[in-house]
Amino acid sequence: MTNLFRCRKIARLFVGGNNRLLLSCYGRTFSSKQVGRDALKLIKEGLDQKDDMKFLPLHLEKCLFKQSFSSAVIKFDKFCVDENGIYQTPDYAGSTITPVVSFQSFFERGYSLLRRFVTEGLNEDDDEGTRLALLSLLQFLTRKGYHESCLKSQNTDRPYEKLEATEAYSAVLLTIHLLSQLVTGKDYIISSDYSFKPFFCPCSKDCGKRVNYGPTGLGFEKIWYGRPDIVLLSSGSNIVFCERMLEEDSNELDLVSEEFTMIEDIEQSDIIQEKVNSRHSDQQIVSQTITSSVYQFNKSNLTLVPSLLLTPSSFSIFCYDPVNDVLLRSRQTGSLWNTENAYEFNMSAILKIWMVVNHPIFKPSINENHLKLLRNSSNFHNLLAAEGLSMKEMSEKIQFKSHFKNTDYKWDSKRINNVELELQ
């Protein structure tokens, strides 16, 4: 029997029998054969890629409060424990390990949905939010080639020319042809503080979409405040920090402990050699991630709200749990593009970003047994208390607003487009 699900006025999903899926949306209809051949194949490709991202817990040593995001000064290191599971500082002379959390276990609900969908289709028990998120992914995948060509032109020896031209161009192109396509509702705001910003999408296909700029101010003057580059609007706000390129000559920072092990395998002590990036942008996005997470928890009771650090070629993910005081960041930078074909998206990355921007639906979580080791690992609660501040006050005072009082807010140079682009 064929079941009909209605997702508001956006689309209809037909599921059942041999007709796995018929998707009809925005005046376009995709047959079950087309969806099965293209979208399902791409989802399977992303699921099969063996590049599972890991989350690294961070321990904050010092924070300078009453600063803008762009001026944030945060000293942090890996969260390390000894053989008894007790936190040790970087100068500890004994052996330490840093437990890391698998992205797949973190977003288990999202991966379970996709694995089931490619083999069985939708379930009658799937709620509307889940169907809408899946619909957004399928819509994007059916036009994946178009969005790839909008971001990268194959007819030039400089495929990144527009994508890397300026901070504003990077933010606009990645938002219109990637981020907004994956989030339910497709609504977004790009900070209006960019200089010389394009009012229409400057993509290679001249799609002509008008760019939605506006105030993205978020924060509390006694903690951190500022205007994130991009805010994705759905059932919960997503903060995106966009960089034209990562800072040069700051690839890795030598830290005292280089030992990592999966938190699930901590008793086996499988050791992985790794180093942690320490760019100034990391300090900015840590302050944004904590601020956004506390705000979302107060408004929607959401924990582990992720933030993205996105460039034209890569991405990193940061998360903070204000209840258990756990701060995580992706241990490695993920590649946005396929290593075998630089003009095609890396499907594993697309699935990860899709889950991140739809986090209110997939509700990332940390296993309770893992939390026993990681609880209070970030030390942010203690640093806040040392300044005479409380999480309750912080959560009540953080707001989205246009202006912040009694601050010497100065925009950094990233707002100035210092690269000229000649449009043909």
Side-chain angles (χ1 to χ4, degrees), residues 226-242:
R227 297 183 175 112
D229 297 336
I230 305 163
V231 177
L232 301 175
L233 306 173
S234 57
S235 53
S237 298
N238 293 269
I239 301 300
V240 181
F241 184 82
C242 190

Side-chain angles (χ1 to χ4, degrees), residues 246-265:
L246 294 180
E247 299 167 21
E248 297 179 357
D249 301 322
S250 60
N251 294 326
E252 308 289 347
L253 173 69
D254 288 325
L255 299 174
V256 174
S257 171
E258 300 300 339
E259 298 183 354
F260 293 76
T261 183
M262 285 296 299
I263 196 167
E264 295 90 342
D265 304 323

Side-chain angles (χ1 to χ4, degrees), residues 51-234:
D51 62 344
D52 186 29
M53 181 176 283
K54 307 296 190 300
F55 280 114
L56 175 73
L58 300 180
H59 182 83
L60 305 181
E61 298 178 17
K62 293 181 181 179
C63 293
L64 183 60
F65 294 122
K66 301 180 181 179
Q67 302 293 314
S68 66
F69 295 139
S70 59
S71 300
V73 178
I74 303 173
K75 184 179 180 182
F76 62 86
D77 207 320
K78 302 186 303 292
F79 174 73
C80 301
V81 296
D82 59 22
E83 60 273 12
N84 297 313
I86 300 174
Y87 169 73
Q88 298 296 340
T89 61
D91 57 1
Y92 177 66
S95 176
T96 62
I97 60 173
T98 295
V100 295
V101 180
S102 164
F103 184 94
Q104 289 203 19
S105 67
F106 192 69
F107 274 100
E108 175 56 31
R109 183 176 178 182
Y111 279 103
S112 294
L113 168 68
L114 292 177
R115 285 191 291 263
R116 173 167 55 81
F117 178 72
V118 298
T119 57
E120 303 173 13
L122 279 176
N123 190 310
E124 292 185 31
D125 297 329
D126 290 329
D127 59 30
E128 184 181 46
T130 299
R131 295 178 196 140
L132 287 171
L134 187 58
L135 174 63
S136 296
L137 177 63
L138 293 173
Q139 282 182 270
F140 174 77
L141 294 181
T142 56
R143 303 197 72 198
K144 171 176 165 287
Y146 168 75
H147 292 298
E148 289 167 341
S149 60
C150 285
L151 295 177
K152 278 186 173 184
S153 174
Q154 298 191 40
N155 300 321
T156 175
D157 57 355
R158 298 175 61 191
Y160 278 102
E161 182 177 9
K162 292 184 178 182
L163 195 54
E164 291 185 341
T166 66
E167 296 283 358
Y169 272 62
S170 296
V172 168
L173 288 167
L174 290 170
T175 299
I176 290 179
H177 290 289
L178 178 61
L179 299 175
S180 68
Q181 301 299 319
L182 295 174
V183 70
T184 59
K186 303 187 185 303
D187 293 328
Y188 68 89
I189 300 176
I190 296 178
S191 175
S192 57
D193 296 295
Y194 282 110
S195 299
F196 312 114
K197 49 188 176 286
F199 290 99
F200 295 92
C201 180
C203 70
S204 301
K205 292 293 185 180
D206 297 322
C207 71
K209 290 187 177 180
R210 188 173 183 86
V211 185
N212 185 21
Y213 294 105
T216 61
L218 172 70
F220 173 36
E221 291 87 342
K222 289 186 178 180
I223 311 294
W224 293 301
Y225 54 89
R227 297 183 175 112
D229 297 336
I230 305 163
V231 177
L232 301 175
L233 306 173
S234 57

